[in-house]
């Protein structure tokens, strides 16, 4: 299947093997030459003791199909059309202020430094290699791909289906043929297979950076730097490519602002190292160093698809708050929830848990409606839009349909 992507080879593979995150395979003893541990990327660890509940069994296929309560909303989610707001920019000019538009799951349009960036674009109907089976999205994306404004870059954190969608990448490559794709080591092989010009693919190892200079797609633009930083997760799009590509969180810096995007991750003390490296306000002169400003103006952390048996690879809302503390605070935009059912918890549980715990910790929550452009610094309260969803007329949303051969968790 084309949606599985492609394996790295040649210079790309050589660069991957040179990474500190890469571990060579170990062959098992015996004449058959079986591999006990295949080569690939590894979390750097150590993983916190007790982070994953070893006594909690992983959900069975039957539980994924039928288990859990309220895993999908029974009514329609409120969607905002952002196009009119986008036409006017985030202030008097595009550089005026950080603005963010959450479009569902981990797909976010970020406007900063006179540039526009799109994270983990997924417009597909399912987070799956198949159009006929797999987790089905709860809601349409608030805006069509063809209605997006000109982009300065597309960020792809890792290769899982709910973050790297073949249909979305192909359409973006067609509609915006000059847009660069910034991603983790090895993921470029998939992007090339999906039709992205190799010259437009920028693959980063942890702690590597790429600097965007010159005018942005909107006509303005300050220098903006992307840096791949550690995350604690895994990768793979099929049964035989586990950890064949790298996964990353990302730091995005302009002259005035600094933003953190988690991709997918479990709670890791490496986030304290990220804070140490980027602490002291945003990048550039006059960015707030020494004024008690958090290292990040906006922190986007994944909060959904959690389960006790895999808390080492997904945060969930409670661990997201601890991750935010390790990063040094900042406005928190929770992502990776309310679009696909990828675990057994209620669809709105991540939001309710955050709303219960965050105020006591002094956390500045930013929880807009889908498609609603917001300036994080101006958000002074959370309006729990999700609470009215299940009281609306049911939409008949399908729960789940899974290929039998795929392992869990999928993301």
């Amino acid at each position: 299947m084309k949606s599985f992507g492609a394996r790295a080879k040649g210079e790309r593979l050589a660069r991957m093997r040179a990474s500190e995150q890469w571990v060579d395979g170990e062959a098992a003893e015996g004449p058959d030459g079986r591999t006990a541990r295949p080569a690939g990327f590894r979390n750097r660890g150590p993983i916190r003791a007790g982070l994953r509940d070893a006594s909690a069994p992983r959900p069975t296929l039957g539980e994924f199909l039928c288990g859990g309560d309220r895993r999908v909303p029974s009514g329609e989610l409120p969607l905002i059309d952002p196009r009119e707001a986008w036409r006017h920019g985030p202030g008097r000019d595009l550089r005026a202020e950080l603005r963010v538009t959450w479009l569902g799951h981990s797909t976010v349009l970020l406007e900063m430094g006179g540039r526009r960036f799109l994270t983990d674009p997924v417009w597909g109907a399912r987070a799956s290699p198949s159009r006929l089976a797999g987790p089905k999205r709860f809601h349409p994306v608030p805006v069509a791909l063809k209605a997006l404004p000109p982009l300065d870059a597309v960020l792809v954190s890792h290769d899982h289906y709910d973050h790297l969608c073949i249909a979305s990448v192909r359409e973006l490559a067609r509609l915006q043929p000059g847009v660069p794709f910034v991603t983790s080591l090895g993921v470029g092989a998939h992007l090339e297979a999906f039709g992205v010009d190799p010259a437009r693919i920028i693959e980063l190892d942890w702690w590597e950076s790429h600097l965007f200079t010159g005018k942005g797609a909107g006509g303005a633009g300050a220098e903006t730097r992307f840096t791949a930083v550690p995350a604690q997760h895994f990768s793979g799009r099929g049964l035989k490519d586990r950890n064949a590509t790298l996964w990353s969180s990302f730091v995005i810096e302009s002259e005035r602002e600094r933003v953190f995007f988690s991709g997918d991750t479990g709670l890791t003390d490496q986030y304290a190292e990220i804070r140490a490296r980027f602490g002291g306000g945003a990048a550039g002169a006059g960015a707030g160093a020494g004024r008690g400003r958090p290292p990040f103006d906006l922190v986007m952390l994944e909060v959904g698809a959690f389960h006790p048996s895999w808390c080492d690879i997904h945060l969930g809302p409670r661990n997201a708050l601890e991750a935010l503390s390790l990063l040094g605070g900042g406005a928190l935009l929770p992502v990776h929830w309310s679009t696909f059912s990828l675990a057994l918890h209620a669809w709105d549980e991540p939001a309710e848990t955050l709303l219960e715990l965050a105020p006591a910790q002094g956390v500045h929550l930013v929880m807009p409606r889908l498609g609603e452009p917001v300036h994080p610094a101006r958000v002074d309260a959370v309006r729990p839009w999700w609470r009215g969803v299940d009281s609306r007329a049911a939409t008949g949303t399908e729960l789940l349909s899974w290929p039998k051969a795929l392992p869990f968790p999928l993301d």
Side-chain angles (χ1 to χ4, degrees):
M1 294 177 65
K2 292 182 179 180
S3 60
F4 285 143
R7 297 296 291 266
K9 57 185 178 181
E11 292 183 5
R12 174 178 282 120
L13 182 58
R15 185 173 171 222
M16 292 160 59
R17 287 173 171 167
S19 168
E20 291 185 3
Q21 281 60 253
W22 182 272
V23 177
D24 291 329
E26 293 181 354
E29 296 181 1
D32 57 4
R34 291 178 303 157
T35 300
R37 186 182 68 177
F41 291 100
R42 296 290 183 271
N43 290 308
R44 301 303 293 180
I47 294 174
R48 284 192 181 190
L51 188 58
R52 179 174 62 188
D53 185 352
S55 65
R58 295 206 169 194
T60 65
L61 180 60
E63 287 175 318
F64 266 103
L65 289 172
C66 304
D69 181 38
R70 298 180 57 251
R71 289 174 58 191
V72 301
S74 61
E76 296 180 357
L77 276 63
L79 305 178
I80 305 298
D81 186 339
R83 288 176 292 177
E84 182 63 25
W86 286 347
R87 277 193 285 268
H88 294 289
R92 291 183 179 179
D93 61 79
L94 191 58
R95 294 183 57 182
E97 193 173 356
L98 171 67
R99 186 169 68 177
V100 61
T101 309
W102 178 48
L103 298 172
H105 204 57
S106 295
T107 303
V108 176
L109 184 78
L110 184 67
E111 297 170 277
M112 59 184 292
R115 300 181 187 274
R116 299 185 185 98
F117 306 112
L118 187 68
T119 67
D120 287 354
V122 176
W123 265 254
R126 296 183 185 271
S128 166
S130 170
R131 296 181 180 180
L132 304 176
K136 188 175 181 180
R137 62 185 312 129
F138 305 158
H139 62 85
V141 186
V143 65
L145 270 169
K146 64 183 180 181
L148 288 175
L151 301 172
D152 290 280
V154 176
L155 172 62
V156 178
S157 62
H158 64 297
D159 72 1
H160 284 152
Y161 289 97
D162 59 322
H163 298 260
L164 175 55
C165 169
I166 178 174
S168 303
V169 167
R170 282 178 167 175
E171 189 70 357
L172 276 169
R174 183 185 71 84
L175 293 169
Q176 304 205 30
V179 67
F181 283 72
V182 180
T183 190
S184 304
L185 277 182
V187 180
H190 297 317
L191 295 174
E192 278 193 51
F194 298 162
V196 179
D197 182 349
R200 297 293 178 180
I201 299 172
I202 301 156
E203 295 174 81
L204 300 177
D205 198 356
W206 290 351
W207 305 118
E208 288 184 343
S209 298
H210 179 80
L211 184 65
F212 289 95
T213 59
K215 288 186 177 181
E223 290 189 349
T224 309
R225 185 183 303 274
F226 278 61
T227 304
V229 295
Q232 188 169 280
H233 198 53
F234 70 105
S235 66
R237 293 177 71 82
L239 299 176
K240 297 182 179 180
D241 65 343
R242 178 97 168 187
N243 297 340
T245 63
L246 188 59
W247 50 94
S248 305
S249 297
F250 282 84
V251 174
I252 308 170
E253 301 172 277
S254 71
E255 180 182 4
R256 304 181 186 184
E257 301 110 353
R258 181 183 288 131
V259 171
F260 183 88
F261 177 65
S262 70
D264 276 357
T265 184
L267 183 62
T268 170
D269 290 330
Q270 289 171 300
Y271 274 21
E273 181 181 358
I274 296 169
R275 175 185 181 178
R277 293 205 186 197
F278 291 94
R291 296 187 301 177
R293 180 172 168 180
F296 299 99
D297 300 279
L298 179 68
V299 177
M300 298 182 281
L301 295 176
E302 58 114 309
V303 299
F306 60 93
H307 188 272
S309 68
W310 64 65
C311 280
D312 55 330
I313 57 171
H314 277 296
L315 288 170
R318 295 177 184 273
N319 286 345
L321 291 174
E322 185 167 354
L324 180 69
S325 178
L326 289 173
L327 289 166
L332 171 61
L333 173 66
V335 297
H336 201 268
W337 72 284
S338 86
T339 300
F340 299 105
S341 179
L342 300 172
L344 301 184
H345 58 75
W347 75 274
D348 57 354
E349 183 178 340
E352 288 294 340
T353 301
L354 283 174
L355 205 57
E356 175 189 355
L357 300 179
Q361 300 181 30
V363 171
H364 177 194
L365 284 177
V366 178
M367 302 181 72
R369 293 168 293 177
L370 292 153
E372 180 182 11
V374 295
H375 301 84
R378 299 186 198 174
V379 175
D380 57 5
V382 173
R383 294 165 179 81
W385 55 264
W386 58 88
R387 288 182 176 170
V389 170
D390 286 333
S391 63
R392 300 184 182 125
T395 61
T397 304
E398 176 185 342
L399 180 60
L400 287 172
S401 175
W402 296 87
K404 294 181 180 180
L406 292 177
F408 299 109
L410 287 179
D411 77 325

